[in-house]
Amino acid sequence: MSYRALATRPVLAWSVVTVAGRMPVAMAPLALVLLVRERPGGYTLGAVLAAVYVLGEILAAPVLGIRMNAERARPQLASGLAVGALGFSGLGLLDGAHPAVLCGLAFAAGAGPAAVPGGLRALLTSLVPDHAVTQAMSMESVLTFGIWAGAPALTTGFALGVDPAVPLLLQGGLMAVAVAGLRLLPAGWKAEGGPGAGGEPVRRLLARAWPVYVTGAASLTLLALAELVLPALLEQRGIGIGWAGPLLAGFAAGSALGAFLYGLRGDWPGRLTAQSLVLILGVSAGVVLVALLPWTAAIAVALVLAGLLQAPAMLTRNLALRRILPPSVLAAGYSVMYAAVGAGYAASGSLAGGLLQVVAPSTAILWGVGLTLLLTAVGAVGERRFAEAAPAAQPVAPARKVRR
């Protein structure tokens, strides 16, 4: 299966909107830290602002996702992006304001567009034929990892080379561009079956997919370990901390390549649950090697291999959601997943950060892998029981193409 089905004007327009809408999100944590670093206690305040921003995302994503109208999603997407644009622009213009004001703006910047990634993903799958959905989601993953790879350099370049407020103003401008770009896309996607399948309440449908959210969170705990503990691990190994950036870039490059390769084949062997389990175990093995190997080159290879499996692991979770949930609640499902993986990232980062106070970085990573395996086991058991109890619930009718 090739990516030719994605070479259309609607998908190209969707890609432009996605880059404009997600680049600010990727830039946000670092931009907030750099914005206030020269103030007294600046790094502490920056960490608080970043945490408030992420909290806004986690809390708002499921709430706004549930309220999204599938067939008329564009106004809700536009309003969310507009709130984000105002929040980021306010942070850039009022960088000297009281911390409480900055926290309020950071929360708004995170909460406003929190449901946009889920809505755009649901819209993307409606723009392509059913047989190209895997390729579409793989392309989205490649695009996302590319954005996340470039965001730190863009942020530091403007913040340190021009002014700390410039990245925030740029983020606000990009989200405004995304609002305008939505006019090039359909108003929504076909929502067969009404609010829920057979009239079943949306919240019950979403709750039924809890095992998928748990395994999705498990896959992101590994990313948190790789990003947050790696600098301390390098110091433990006597390796220059400057290697952290290139090593993480290798992880991101491996993830982008893994997403691309996964999309080359539309139907991989085994059920999605089994694929996810194997992939997460593979990523876990790579992260364990990172914790145990003492050589820079070996750590680099382990990270690239872990990244190669990380993106497909997350892709299987999104594909599983699409099979479990009806089209009318897909955006809500993706938004809940967005919140779940954010919570998994935060939980793993908090666990590792706490452990670093009492154990070596390598040991903290191994404990984090243990948390990942526990979440994976819980999710896998839940999915198996769900499949046994309701085998007919798996092949829910896929979203159909919406034409303007």
Side-chain angles (χ1 to χ4, degrees), residues 55-66 110-111 113-115 331-332 334-336 338-339:
L55 182 64
E57 287 187 303
I58 293 174
L59 294 179
V63 175
L64 297 178
I66 290 174
Y334 293 141
S335 296
V336 173
Y338 188 78

Side-chain angles (χ1 to χ4, degrees), residues 94-177:
L94 304 174
D95 55 315
H98 190 276
V101 176
L102 297 180
C103 284
L105 291 170
F107 187 89
V116 171
L120 286 177
R121 181 177 297 127
L123 185 59
L124 171 64
T125 57
S126 74
L127 295 174
V128 300
D130 293 338
H131 64 80
V133 167
T134 298
Q135 285 71 36
M137 287 193 173
S138 297
M139 181 271 293
E140 179 201 22
S141 186
V142 172
L143 196 62
T144 298
F145 278 104
I147 291 170
W148 254 257
L154 187 64
T155 303
T156 54
F158 279 115
L160 302 180
V162 184
D163 187 271
V166 171
L168 279 303
L169 296 175
L170 175 62
Q171 289 164 261
L174 285 172
M175 283 207 165
V177 170

Side-chain angles (χ1 to χ4, degrees), residues 1-350:
M1 183 67 65
S2 70
Y3 286 88
R4 291 180 182 176
L6 307 183
T8 64
R9 289 184 63 183
V11 173
L12 178 60
W14 179 93
S15 300
V16 172
V17 171
T18 296
V19 171
R22 290 194 186 180
M23 182 63 78
V25 176
M27 295 171 63
L30 182 57
L32 290 170
V33 171
L34 295 178
L35 179 71
V36 296
R37 71 185 181 93
E38 295 183 356
R39 294 174 56 160
Y43 283 111
T44 299
L45 176 58
V48 170
L49 290 176
V52 169
Y53 172 84
V54 174
L55 182 64
E57 287 187 303
I58 293 174
L59 294 179
V63 175
L64 297 178
I66 290 174
R67 295 176 178 273
M68 188 169 294
N69 185 320
E71 296 186 341
R72 294 191 301 275
R74 186 163 57 198
Q76 292 163 278
L77 295 174
S79 60
L81 288 167
V83 171
L86 292 173
F88 283 124
S89 299
L91 285 164
L93 295 172
L94 304 174
D95 55 315
H98 190 276
V101 176
L102 297 180
C103 284
L105 291 170
F107 187 89
V116 171
L120 286 177
R121 181 177 297 127
L123 185 59
L124 171 64
T125 57
S126 74
L127 295 174
V128 300
D130 293 338
H131 64 80
V133 167
T134 298
Q135 285 71 36
M137 287 193 173
S138 297
M139 181 271 293
E140 179 201 22
S141 186
V142 172
L143 196 62
T144 298
F145 278 104
I147 291 170
W148 254 257
L154 187 64
T155 303
T156 54
F158 279 115
L160 302 180
V162 184
D163 187 271
V166 171
L168 279 303
L169 296 175
L170 175 62
Q171 289 164 261
L174 285 172
M175 283 207 165
V177 170
V179 172
L182 287 173
R183 299 297 304 175
L184 302 175
L185 298 175
W189 57 94
K190 184 67 175 178
E192 297 178 354
E200 190 172 358
V202 172
R203 286 178 174 80
R204 185 177 299 175
L205 284 168
L206 295 174
R208 194 171 62 189
W210 70 264
V212 183
Y213 307 137
V214 172
T215 47
S219 70
L220 259 289
T221 60
L222 296 168
L223 179 59
L225 293 174
E227 289 186 341
L228 302 178
V229 187
L230 182 61
L233 178 70
L234 294 179
E235 288 189 341
Q236 178 190 355
R237 294 283 187 260
I239 301 171
I241 197 172
W243 279 101
L247 289 172
L248 290 175
F251 182 89
S255 297
L257 178 60
F260 177 79
L261 293 176
Y262 187 86
L264 286 178
R265 178 170 178 169
D267 185 20
W268 288 85
R271 301 180 65 176
L272 289 172
T273 302
Q275 293 179 26
S276 176
L277 182 61
V278 170
L279 290 166
I280 292 177
L281 290 177
V283 181
S284 299
V287 175
V288 168
L289 289 176
V290 169
L292 299 179
L293 295 173
W295 310 288
T296 306
I299 293 174
V301 172
L303 279 173
V304 170
L305 293 177
L308 196 66
L309 302 178
Q310 166 68 34
M314 199 64 228
L315 279 168
T316 61
R317 301 297 76 212
N318 289 323
L319 290 170
L321 270 185
R322 190 171 183 273
R323 292 192 178 184
I324 291 174
L325 299 176
S328 56
V329 297
L330 271 179
Y334 293 141
S335 296
V336 173
M337 175 69 84
Y338 188 78
V341 298
Y345 187 100
S348 181
S350 299

